[in-house]
Amino acid sequence: MKHLVTGGAGFVGSHLIDKLMNKGDYIYCLDNFMTGNNSNIKHWEDNKNFEMINHDVTQKISLNIDKIWHLACPASPKHYQRDPIKTTKISFLGTLNMLELAKEQDAEFLLASTSEVYGDPEIHPQPESYKGSVNCTGIRSCYDEGKRIAESLSFDFLRMHNLKIHIVRIFNTYGPRMRSDDGRVVSNFIYQALTGQPLTIYGDGKQTRSFCYVDDLVDGLYKLMYSKTIGPVNIGNPCEISILELSEIIKNKFNKEIPTIYKPFPQDDPLQRKPNIELAKKELDWEPEIDFNKGIQKTIEYFKRNINE
Ligand code: NAD
Ligand code: UDP
């Protein structure tokens, strides 16, 4: 079995590659290192079943493969907003190129979509049937609308070409291999706490998110690819907390006084987010297993080990 993992040198992609490599399959890791890191996949470099392809998904590529896991796209607002036109190109052209490759190879295709397709949701928790509330002219829209068109394109390849597709809507995920400069809240707070900086809360901190440990997410991706489910399917941990609560949980993991500073609330930042995971439970027999305290502890240990590198 030959797999192509786009975005394989990134946070989620590299954990997925670990799982696939451990099954003994052949893996092409395709990445342009925009936000990925060679250290995430370095341990496979000499393995005969692993091949790194330094390539931008907005350019076409031809490869002999059976399954495509399409994850390539910057995921943190800090990175996807740096060059929003590039983000839109990655979402549209990148996904189009990978769908065309899947069609050419008759390969199965999994799209990593996002809870951001729900925008700033008026329905809580969010089921897959919710159509979303995205501001199509705001600073998040390059990513939110980008993923919406990626979903739409995937369905058109299914309808027009009978392509085998699966769509996962990933909710906030955290864990080892997040970059210290990733910009997302969990990695920011841990890095700030470790380096003696105040934790930065955007707005009043009452906005909520539901955080899933990366191993649970990767199990969900795997089950989806090997199922008959097309989706979209939410994969996330429904354990919802406010950003203020998150800051307290992380502070309590350190034996020192850590101050907090407040920064302006970003435009269109969703006020609440929590997945409804009934579909994943029913169709994939999936639900998260790693509790937040344990996951955060493992993530802090990773940051401690890597802080000086
Ligand atoms: P990440 O930024 O760590 O990884 C993205 C990877 O894609 C990086 O290795 C990056 O270098 C690569 N990449 C970006 N643009 C590329 C291009 N043009 N060509 C080739 N490679 C490119 O992010 P992540 O958290 O690992 O997210 C992976 C996927 O999951 C993304 O598609 C993201 O939208 C989706 N997702 C993640 C989360 C989350 O909480 N982590 C939530 C929702 C959706
Ligand atoms: N956030 C914060 N401080 C930070 C980084 C993020 O308060 O240093 C907030 C951010 O405004 C959002 C939440 O934490 O309300 C989650 O942000 P993240 O970028 O991790 O994920 P997303 O907004 O994409 O869900």
Side-chain angles (χ1 to χ4, degrees):
M1 184 64 71
K2 285 188 172 174
H3 301 261
L4 169 63
V5 180
T6 77
F11 162 52
V12 175
S14 63
H15 286 278
L16 173 64
I17 286 179
D18 287 351
K19 185 167 179 102
L20 299 175
M21 287 296 295
N22 286 327
K23 300 257 176 210
D25 288 348
Y26 192 92
I27 316 295
Y28 291 105
C29 170
L30 185 154
D31 207 295
N32 69 349
F33 296 100
M34 181 184 184
T35 52
N37 206 326
N38 194 42
S39 62
N40 291 341
I41 35 125
K42 208 172 162 22
H43 50 291
W44 297 118
E45 200 166 72
D46 298 327
N47 191 296
K48 63 175 178 21
N49 284 343
F50 179 82
E51 195 172 326
M52 181 68 220
I53 302 175
N54 195 332
H55 182 84
D56 186 321
V57 282
T58 62
Q59 307 295 319
K60 286 191 176 301
I61 190 164
S62 193
L63 282 171
N64 184 248
I65 30 99
D66 302 299
K67 290 188 191 287
I68 302 179
W69 309 73
H70 181 43
L71 277 69
C73 185
S76 165
K78 172 180 163 185
H79 294 292
Y80 73 64
Q81 287 168 13
R82 200 173 45 215
D83 184 348
I85 297 172
K86 176 76 186 177
T87 301
T88 304
K89 278 188 182 166
I90 294 169
S91 303
F92 177 66
L93 287 178
T95 305
L96 178 63
N97 287 336
M98 292 308 117
L99 283 163
E100 281 176 344
L101 175 62
K103 175 173 167 258
E104 174 198 301
Q105 293 290 314
D106 195 22
E108 210 163 341
F109 179 87
L110 181 144
L111 171 71
S113 184
T114 171
S115 54
E116 294 282 339
V117 299
Y118 302 124
D120 189 5
E122 305 113 321
I123 290 186
H124 196 71
Q126 295 80 52
E128 290 84 352
S129 56
Y130 176 48
K131 303 271 190 312
S133 164
V134 171
N135 172 7
C136 67
T137 59
I139 57 170
R140 294 176 86 95
S141 67
C142 58
Y143 183 74
D144 301 6
E145 296 289 3
K147 290 289 185 177
R148 288 169 73 98
I149 193 68
E151 287 196 15
S152 159
L153 261 179
S154 305
F155 268 92
D156 287 331
F157 270 76
L158 163 73
R159 284 184 286 254
M160 288 187 70
H161 306 299
N162 213 16
L163 196 78
K164 293 182 248 29
I165 65 160
H166 308 274
I167 297 180
V168 54
R169 291 185 178 154
I170 302 172
F171 283 65
N172 297 67
T173 303
Y174 70 98
R177 299 192 190 150
M178 292 188 94
R179 291 165 59 128
S180 57
D181 66 350
D182 178 89
R184 281 175 279 188
V185 67
V186 172
S187 47
N188 269 8
F189 283 0
I190 294 176
Y191 185 71
Q192 288 160 347
L194 278 171
T195 53
Q197 302 174 60
L199 305 197
T200 50
I201 292 188
Y202 303 162
D204 59 12
K206 289 192 184 136
Q207 70 271 33
T208 67
R209 293 293 187 272
S210 308
F211 295 98
C212 182
Y213 189 68
V214 65
D215 290 358
D216 280 332
L217 167 66
V218 166
D219 282 347
L221 300 184
Y222 191 84
K223 283 189 163 172
L224 177 59
M225 178 64 109
Y226 284 90
S227 75
K228 290 198 163 51
T229 299
I230 293 167
V233 187
N234 290 339
I235 296 284
N237 191 325
C239 149
E240 180 186 16
I241 53 171
S242 72
I243 298 307
L244 211 48
E245 284 171 299
L246 174 70
S247 71
E248 291 306 321
I249 293 171
I250 292 182
K251 278 184 192 181
N252 286 334
K253 299 275 179 196
F254 293 83
N255 274 334
K256 57 182 181 186
E257 274 297 303
I258 303 172
T260 298
I261 52 167
Y262 288 84
K263 296 208 164 181
F265 190 61
Q267 187 199 342
D268 292 335
D269 196 295
L271 288 175
Q272 54 180 2
R273 183 180 293 148
K274 174 180 176 172
N276 173 322
I277 57 165
E278 292 311 309
L279 190 64
K281 280 188 190 166
K282 187 167 136 247
E283 294 200 7
L284 307 179
D285 190 27
W286 177 89
E287 62 183 308
E289 286 176 357
I290 296 161
D291 107 307
F292 192 60
N293 260 305
K294 189 171 163 203
I296 279 291
Q297 196 55 47
K298 280 167 169 260
T299 312
I300 291 173
E301 280 156 22
Y302 168 83
F303 271 79
K304 279 186 180 160
R305 282 196 306 275
N306 289 274
I307 201 100
N308 296 321
E309 283 175 19

